[in-house]
Amino acid sequence: MSMFPVGRLKGQTVPSAEDIQQEWVSPSVEGDRRSKGIQISYNQISPFGIHSTPIVPGINEAEARVQKLEEIEFSLRLPILWKGRTTIAAGVSYLYEEYNFINPSALTYDFYTNLQNKHLNSLDAKVFVVYALNGRAFIGSRIGLELNGDYEGNELPFRQQAKGSVAAVYGWKTNPYTMYGLGAYYSYTLGRPSIYPVFIWNETFNDRWGVEAVLPQSFRLRRNFSEETILLLGAKVLGRSYHIISDEPPLGKYPNLELRNSNIYAFLEFEQEIYDFLWFGLTGGYRYNINFNISEENSFSNSRIIENEVGHSPYFNVSLFVVPPQAWVEE
């Protein structure tokens, strides 16, 4: 599945004379998975320990154990424009994270009680644009805006919560089964603002095997048992920065706290069609934490006021998602 999930569908627009003479390239490859239009998923991370070490004076050292971390995510992605060489899609998603500590009534550390009582939220909107240069090459961009924090109810301080991301890629297909891309990405995948190069490799080797890679962010080896049953083995890096608000000392004196969270997930994922456009997925794997530190500001700086060492642990995910019906997909 491409970084720019916008393939070709049947019957989108009446082709112009230019379109009839020129077949514009699509980022998708033959044998690729269909894009997920609507998805709801539940993710649970097994018990793990957390040890907090202060970097600045006035904050104590502490440790606790999280019984489980639960995540519920809903996402919606729809095509906006499918005309000639230009394809535009947009998506929105909401992620809710709930930390459940062992013996929460005994928690006295401000950071831990904040996680136990307030939870974390991420509201995300993205726009995907692909412009075909010819029958082989295209340029693509992805622009996103996230509102991340421990806000509750109507609390939504936009200036502190807002986090942006931008990706730009030049891609080309050597044949209908192979696509490559080179570009750059600005995001919070590593927990803080970062700019890094991107290499995309999407290839179907035969009717059974394929690769879906957006390096260095994700890599998937795909095994197609049939058109209705798919197995994926790989790893991915996911991260966000959350604006957190504390009313209690000592963290209460810092008005612009950021929780920077980034993890590597190694996984085995099973996807099965239920009925044409309706699928479900089961995933199991291991989470390796890279970053779970508290910074005083949202910046490129790696400065922090609390450094948290988080234990690594297994996780599982179950999801239900809707894809374009097979009759809509261009053959």
Side-chain angles (χ1 to χ4, degrees):
M1 190 172 294
S2 172
M3 182 179 185
F4 302 98
V6 282
R8 294 295 186 187
L9 302 183
K10 291 181 177 179
Q12 289 293 323
T13 59
V14 176
S16 65
E18 181 186 18
D19 297 335
I20 294 174
Q21 295 175 5
Q22 172 71 60
E23 182 178 351
W24 305 113
V25 69
S26 166
S28 60
V29 300
E30 297 291 336
D32 200 358
R33 293 180 293 156
R34 286 178 274 174
S35 298
K36 297 174 181 178
I38 302 174
Q39 176 172 304
I40 184 168
S41 66
Y42 171 80
N43 195 67
Q44 184 178 122
I45 296 176
S46 301
F48 58 91
I50 177 171
H51 183 272
S52 301
T53 303
I55 305 300
V56 298
I59 301 178
N60 295 328
E61 186 174 0
E63 64 180 10
R65 189 161 181 82
V66 177
Q67 183 175 2
K68 62 180 177 180
L69 167 58
E70 295 179 293
E71 300 173 334
I72 298 175
E73 184 172 14
F74 172 80
S75 63
L76 171 67
R77 183 176 293 140
L78 295 172
I80 303 299
L81 175 67
W82 235 286
K83 186 176 181 180
R85 64 171 71 192
T86 304
T87 304
I88 301 175
V92 295
S93 65
Y94 173 72
L95 173 68
Y96 171 84
E97 296 187 54
E98 181 175 310
Y99 287 79
N100 293 283
F101 284 81
I102 294 176
N103 195 14
S105 60
L107 295 174
T108 58
Y109 199 58
D110 183 28
F111 173 51
Y112 301 162
T113 56
N114 229 40
L115 283 178
Q116 173 69 33
N117 297 329
K118 296 187 70 176
H119 317 304
L120 301 175
N121 306 270
S122 176
L123 182 63
D124 172 28
K126 287 186 175 70
V127 175
F128 308 86
V129 180
V130 172
Y131 183 79
L133 300 175
N134 49 47
R136 289 187 68 247
F138 66 91
I139 53 176
S141 64
R142 187 177 78 180
I143 301 173
L145 180 66
E146 299 180 6
L147 300 178
N148 300 338
D150 60 355
Y151 50 82
E152 296 178 317
N154 295 324
E155 300 175 10
L156 201 64
F158 182 86
R159 184 177 62 85
Q160 291 92 345
Q161 308 284 359
K163 309 290 189 297
S165 64
V166 179
V169 167
Y170 171 79
W172 67 96
K173 295 172 74 169
T174 57
N175 57 62
Y177 302 93
T178 307
M179 187 272 283
Y180 301 105
L182 291 173
Y185 194 14
Y186 165 80
S187 76
Y188 287 78
T189 300
L190 299 178
R192 59 188 173 97
S194 303
I195 300 175
Y196 54 89
V198 170
F199 172 68
I200 300 176
W201 174 29
N202 197 4
E203 182 168 1
T204 298
F205 301 114
N206 50 48
D207 60 353
R208 289 290 180 261
W209 294 96
V211 165
E212 303 170 12
V214 182
L215 302 174
Q217 187 177 8
S218 66
F219 179 88
R220 290 174 172 86
L221 178 64
R222 185 181 72 246
R223 174 67 162 89
N224 295 67
F225 290 95
S226 68
E227 292 186 357
E228 299 81 24
T229 305
I230 300 172
L231 191 66
L232 301 154
L233 174 67
K236 59 186 177 181
V237 182
L238 296 177
R240 288 180 175 86
S241 180
Y242 294 92
H243 178 72
I244 60 175
I245 301 173
S246 177
D247 298 324
E248 302 294 332
L251 294 182
K253 68 179 181 179
Y254 298 97
N256 296 308
L257 291 176
E258 293 286 327
L259 173 59
R260 297 174 165 181
N261 185 18
S262 184
N263 301 277
I264 298 176
Y265 293 86
F267 60 84
L268 182 65
E269 182 175 358
F270 174 77
E271 294 185 348
Q272 176 65 50
E273 178 187 291
I274 300 175
Y275 175 75
D276 191 23
F277 59 86
L278 185 62
W279 288 61
F280 78 89
L282 293 174
T283 304
Y286 199 78
R287 181 197 68 153
Y288 181 89
N289 182 256
I290 303 173
N291 187 0
F292 196 70
N293 300 323
I294 297 182
S295 174
E296 192 179 352
E297 58 182 6
N298 177 26
S299 70
F300 283 87
S301 170
N302 196 29
S303 63
R304 49 205 182 276
I305 63 175
I306 298 179
E307 187 172 270
N308 296 300
E309 183 180 347
V310 175
H312 319 307
S313 57
Y315 79 97
F316 76 89
N317 178 285
V318 58
S319 64
L320 189 68
F321 54 93
V322 174
V323 303
Q326 187 65 46
W328 292 11
V329 180
E330 183 183 54
E331 297 176 350

